Amino acid sequence: MLDSIIEIHGKKVLLLEYAIVNNILPDPKLADVWVVNHNDPKLVKRFLYQIIRSEDIRVYLKPIFLQKELKKTYALSADVLKSLSDGYIKWLNFIDKIPYIETITNFIEKNAFKYDVFDKKSDEFYTLKILDYYYTRKKNIVPIINRKSLSGYSYTRIEAFFEEKKEAYAKSRMLLRESFLGGSLSRNYVDTSHLCKNCHSGFLNFREKCPKCSEHNLKVRNLIHHFRCAYVGVDKDFVLKDQLVCPKCSSELKNLGVDYDKPGKIFFCKNKKCNHEFQEAPIGVHCVDCKLEQSPDELIVRKIYAYELTNLGFQQVLEK
């Protein structure tokens, strides 16, 4: 059973379901707009990736929307799918999208053959696909927070060019950096990521560890300083029933800041072969992906940027 085509406001709209299930790209000449009509986020994502990886400008620039009624069924994938498409529409309401669709369609018709001589696996071709898309959409290239991304941030549409996760991370950032250095894109700071020095993963666990044996199974106690007799000890030694009582002079401690203060903490290593006590615990970093243990100063620091086309970028799109 083929996907159905309906006409809305003079535009042919292809409702995609069969094509998504079978991961088949429809003939781009059949309709002006494609609309996802399937509720499985994995299948939808797979299909959107295939569109983005297409070498045909009529496919990878095709306006494609998601139905807002299906957004809840996509759950945690909803924002990712949005970034791979032209966003959500409600009840196939295209009336305010007509100028948007026509701008994209006119660009495709005008530039249908401009990349025939290009190597479709070259960095230059990937860069021009990026510039074309964000030029026609009048959008900036904004990273989204994505817990499935290697670093926690994803340039989802650009990373979709590549099959392998590490390659997608490295190549997408290389393409953006080269475009920035070449003047096609400008950039604005968004955030800073700290990544594993070995695998560049951002999935890191920071934990205090014993400076003697490096184990991280620690117990922490607050220190209490009794002003009157100057005794300092751990909080558990001051507990007597439901009161705080100084174990040195037997005075009751009532008011924090008046009778006593808490000058710090003390750590106890629970490794039976160690049992070390210490006041300052170094921080260790465990990479959840590759299991490497490292210190915070060994992590790779990467700046995260949002990008936008410059005048030179516009010229590159319009002159090719």
Side-chain angles (χ1 to χ4, degrees), residues 262-305:
K262 296 181 179 181
K265 297 178 180 179
I266 189 165
F267 295 84
F268 300 86
C269 178
K270 299 188 74 174
N271 177 0
K272 293 181 180 179
K273 295 181 179 180
C274 180
N275 292 319
H276 185 48
E277 296 182 11
F278 49 98
Q279 280 192 271
E280 293 187 6
I283 300 296
V285 184
H286 172 76
C287 177
V288 176
D289 284 331
C290 75
K291 314 305 180 188
L292 183 70
E293 299 289 339
Q294 54 209 292
S295 61
D297 59 359
E298 292 180 292
L299 297 174
I300 297 170
V301 179
R302 288 285 183 266
K303 302 291 187 182
I304 310 298
Y305 298 99

Side-chain angles (χ1 to χ4, degrees), residues 1-155:
M1 180 179 178
L2 297 178
D3 294 317
S4 59
I5 299 175
I6 59 177
E7 188 165 321
I8 302 176
H9 305 302
K11 300 297 178 185
K12 290 183 178 179
V13 180
L14 179 62
L15 299 177
L16 296 164
E17 186 168 7
Y18 174 86
I20 292 172
V21 172
N22 294 280
N23 203 27
I24 299 170
L25 288 175
D27 183 342
K29 299 190 295 293
L30 292 177
D32 304 297
V33 187
W34 293 349
V35 174
V36 170
N37 194 39
H38 199 282
N39 61 9
D40 187 326
K42 290 183 179 179
L43 296 183
V44 173
K45 183 179 179 181
R46 180 187 68 174
F47 182 74
L48 293 175
Y49 270 36
Q50 187 173 350
I51 290 173
I52 293 167
R53 291 171 183 165
S54 171
E55 297 174 356
D56 188 341
I57 193 172
R58 300 170 301 168
V59 174
Y60 68 74
L61 283 188
K62 176 70 71 176
I64 179 164
F65 293 92
L66 309 167
Q67 296 198 60
K68 197 168 185 179
E69 295 74 29
L70 296 175
K71 187 174 182 179
K72 287 186 178 180
T73 67
Y74 298 149
L76 295 176
S77 299
D79 288 342
V80 172
L81 297 182
K82 180 182 179 181
S83 69
L84 296 172
S85 67
D86 287 287
Y88 291 92
I89 55 168
K90 187 174 183 179
W91 304 115
L92 297 179
N93 182 8
F94 282 104
I95 188 65
D96 61 337
K97 300 291 184 183
I98 298 301
Y100 178 87
I101 294 165
E102 289 179 346
T103 296
I104 298 170
T105 302
N106 290 338
F107 182 89
I108 292 171
E109 291 175 352
K110 183 179 179 181
N111 297 279
F113 305 105
K114 73 175 183 177
Y115 296 141
D116 286 353
V117 298
F118 279 76
D119 174 3
K120 301 303 191 296
K121 300 299 180 184
S122 68
D123 291 345
E124 184 180 11
F125 181 63
Y126 287 136
T127 299
L128 290 170
K129 284 179 72 173
I130 294 168
L131 296 179
D132 282 352
Y133 181 83
Y134 288 97
Y135 170 81
T136 55
R137 270 57 181 185
K138 295 180 172 58
K139 292 180 180 178
N140 295 335
I141 304 170
V142 180
I144 66 168
I145 295 175
N146 182 0
R147 64 189 181 91
K148 294 184 179 180
S149 170
L150 188 65
S151 68
Y153 277 97
S154 176
Y155 299 96

